Amino acid sequence: MTENQNFEEVAAAAAAAARPFARTSPRERAAALVAVADALDAAGGELIPIGMRETGLAEARLTGELRRTSWQLRLFADTIVDGGYLDARIDLADPEYVIGPRPDVRRMLEPVGPVLNFAASNFPFAFSVAGGDSAAALAAGCPVIVKAHSGHPELSRATAAVVIDALEGAGMPKGTFQLISGQENGVALLKDERIRAGAFTGSTHVGRMLADIAASRPVPIPFYGELGSVNPVYATYADAALLDGFVASVAGSAGQLCTKPGFLFVPADADLSSVGGAASAVAEHRLLNPGIGRAFTQRRGDVLGAEGVDVLSQGEVRVDDDGQTFATPTVVAVDVDTLLADREALLEESFGPLSVVVRYQDRDALPALHAELFPGNLTSTVHARESELEDGSLAELVDALAETSGRVLFGGWPTGVSVTPAMQHGGPYPATTSDGTSVGTAAITRFLRGVAYQGAPQELLPVPLQDANPWGVPQSISRAGNSTSWGASVR
């Protein structure tokens, strides 16, 4: 769909596909996801060069990202194939139920309906057209409309064509997957009553605007926005190896990762002299598009111009004849008092290769400082010696991080989000607009809702709730008479 196409037709097609797609069996849908994954892998030779040209990301990075995208689809296929994700529960009628006669009640999770996914710029495969939000919604049985990111339009169209062909080839209804472009189309569809959920990865400003639109509809819908995060790291020491790892994490993909460590807290007496050398060894990298380049240049200027900043690595910014920005890492250091005094200039996320090292005097003050400065994060990290992790002295800090973060790391660096069943990629606002995760198999739950059927005849029940259970999905059955033994398990 181009900016001149009628979004009404797109919404109508998604709505028409919603019930037929929801009624596909878990195995049929899983097979369709695998078909998409296979098609994406086969199209890599066409898609990756387009991505390199449009985003400036390296071939190796995009090759790995495409593999992540296709295997994520396969992971969702395995997650849904047996139907366990439906959480089918059956309470059989029980006239002797201890708190009054119980009717036959059956509950399962059902797809919410058409999902509008606003694609990200920094992951043109993994968080874009066929990325995590699209994969989760399709796995749940929801038709997907992707609003393409303007930073990689050609890649978006090519990827969408692969996905659509694979889904239709696997027998999924026409309209199960569609692509739109243009901000006006995206906003219009978000307001359309046929859209039942939204997903977004991008800036705090745009994400909050879209979330407010979703919430202000006559019938509000859930909106799962991954916005911004500064991902603070707290270290009880700072040797050369730790600082080298820090710089590498800041510089990876030119700092254009939502999990980039924006702040590193180190003891006040830490020797930071190696930071400059590590940063200067990093080659310049193109930022994703001119808009991001302009925003980074301004943000970098604000940080470098803040009073009391000690520049560890000046970094460089270069703009070519096409308006594309190339940058090397900028790293500055401040003490806690400076950070607090100039928080307006320093605390905002810097989307690009820039980070702030904060020297602290009192480790015991870190939990309260973290709670004050970083109320919502995708990640928070602790680097400490083994003895410090074992003696319980960091328990209060870890509690503070867990209350304000979606993922707490011990050692390592937050860049690099494994696609696993246990992964959590989401955190309290402003990291995300709604509780949930956009990575890992739990992401599917965002696009499902519980529906209970009371006293329904077998013929009108959804297949997973029928006594015959033709799909063979796991069913949790509460039989008559069980209520008289409640509480016995703890006696």
Side-chain angles (χ1 to χ4, degrees):
M1 174 177 175
T2 67
E3 294 190 21
N4 294 322
Q5 284 181 298
N6 185 357
F7 75 86
E8 168 72 26
E9 298 174 2
V10 173
R19 291 310 301 165
F21 187 46
R23 289 172 179 151
T24 57
S25 72
R27 182 166 292 277
E28 290 170 332
R29 209 175 315 131
L33 293 177
V34 172
V36 174
D38 291 343
L40 288 171
D41 285 342
E46 171 197 354
L47 300 176
I48 290 170
I50 300 173
M52 293 171 62
R53 182 174 67 253
E54 288 192 312
T55 69
L57 295 172
E59 181 178 6
R61 153 68 197 272
L62 290 173
T63 299
E65 189 184 328
L66 180 57
R67 178 176 173 82
R68 166 192 170 129
T69 304
S70 63
W71 281 98
Q72 180 169 246
L73 286 158
R74 295 184 176 96
L75 174 61
F76 274 114
D78 276 6
T79 299
I80 66 171
V81 70
D82 72 348
Y85 78 97
L86 295 168
D87 192 21
R89 306 181 183 206
I90 298 176
D91 296 339
L92 297 176
D94 185 359
E96 305 300 326
Y97 196 62
V98 294
I99 54 177
R102 180 180 73 187
D104 183 291
V105 180
R106 305 181 182 218
R107 180 187 187 274
M108 62 176 286
L109 298 177
E110 299 193 7
V112 298
V115 172
L116 176 61
N117 176 20
F118 291 82
S121 64
N122 58 335
F123 282 88
F125 289 122
F127 282 86
S128 188
V129 172
D133 288 332
S134 293
L138 290 171
C142 299
V144 174
I145 302 170
V146 176
K147 189 275 178 187
H149 196 280
S150 59
H152 49 270
E154 184 182 349
L155 179 62
S156 297
R157 291 191 293 271
T159 304
V162 171
V163 175
I164 291 169
D165 286 348
L167 287 173
E168 293 187 359
M172 297 301 101
K174 187 176 180 63
T176 295
F177 193 90
Q178 300 174 85
L179 182 76
I180 65 167
S181 60
Q183 180 177 342
E184 290 185 4
N185 281 324
V187 171
L189 272 172
L190 187 59
K191 295 178 178 179
D192 192 282
E193 63 178 5
R194 288 162 290 193
I195 299 300
R196 300 303 172 86
F200 170 85
T201 301
S203 71
T204 300
H205 171 71
V206 174
R208 181 55 192 263
M209 177 191 74
L210 295 174
D212 289 346
I213 291 173
S216 63
R217 291 175 24 151
V219 178
I221 59 171
F223 184 85
Y224 299 99
E226 188 225 286
L227 310 184
S229 180
V230 295
N231 310 299
V233 177
Y234 298 90
T236 62
Y237 66 94
D239 59 18
L242 182 140
L243 294 174
D244 285 350
F246 163 66
V247 171
S249 188
V250 170
S253 295
Q256 299 169 114
L257 303 175
C258 50
T259 53
K260 182 204 73 180
F263 292 87
L264 170 63
F265 287 76
V266 299
D269 59 357
D271 180 2
L272 303 177
S273 59
S274 65
V275 171
S280 65
V282 177
E284 71 172 11
H285 194 298
R286 200 195 102 183
L287 301 188
L288 290 163
N289 56 64
I292 287 176
R294 289 189 295 270
F296 174 74
T297 301
Q298 179 178 342
R299 183 81 192 98
R300 175 176 174 270
D302 292 342
V303 172
L304 289 174
E307 188 174 349
V309 164
D310 178 16
V311 179
L312 303 177
S313 171
Q314 180 82 19
E316 294 182 356
V317 172
R318 175 177 67 87
V319 181
D320 69 9
D321 292 341
D322 296 324
Q324 300 289 0
T325 300
F326 295 76
T328 56
T330 296
V331 183
V332 303
V334 299
D335 58 29
V336 170
D337 289 341
T338 299
L339 178 62
L340 292 172
D342 209 356
R343 64 180 71 190
E344 186 173 339
L346 296 173
L347 282 181
E348 184 181 341
E349 180 185 16
S350 298
F351 193 72
L354 187 155
S355 191
V356 178
V357 180
V358 183
R359 298 185 176 98
Y360 65 86
Q361 294 282 354
D362 182 4
R363 193 176 78 180
D364 292 339
L366 292 179
L369 185 66
H370 173 86
E372 177 183 354
L373 297 180
F374 309 117
N377 315 278
L378 292 171
T379 74
S380 292
T381 303
V382 175
H383 281 269
R385 297 178 177 86
E386 187 173 348
S387 60
E388 295 169 317
L389 294 172
E390 294 175 349
D391 65 15
S393 60
L394 295 173
E396 187 178 351
L397 175 61
V398 172
D399 285 346
L401 304 188
E403 288 178 2
T404 58
S405 310
R407 178 164 56 114
V408 180
L409 293 82
F410 296 85
W413 299 96
T415 43
V417 183
S418 298
V419 180
T420 68
M423 182 51 66
Q424 172 68 27
H425 189 64
Y429 184 84
T432 55
T433 58
S434 302
D435 187 29
T437 179
S438 59
V439 179
T441 56
I444 191 174
T445 61
R446 297 172 298 164
F447 307 115
L448 296 166
R449 66 184 186 91
V451 180
Y453 297 82
Q454 181 171 324
Q458 290 289 314
E459 296 79 9
L460 296 181
L461 281 169
V463 171
L465 295 180
Q466 294 174 5
D467 289 344
N469 194 10
W471 290 352
V473 306
Q475 294 176 329
S476 175
I477 302 177
S478 176
R479 303 188 183 280
N482 286 353
S483 62
T484 58
S485 62
W486 283 352
S489 61
V490 298
R491 290 176 183 164

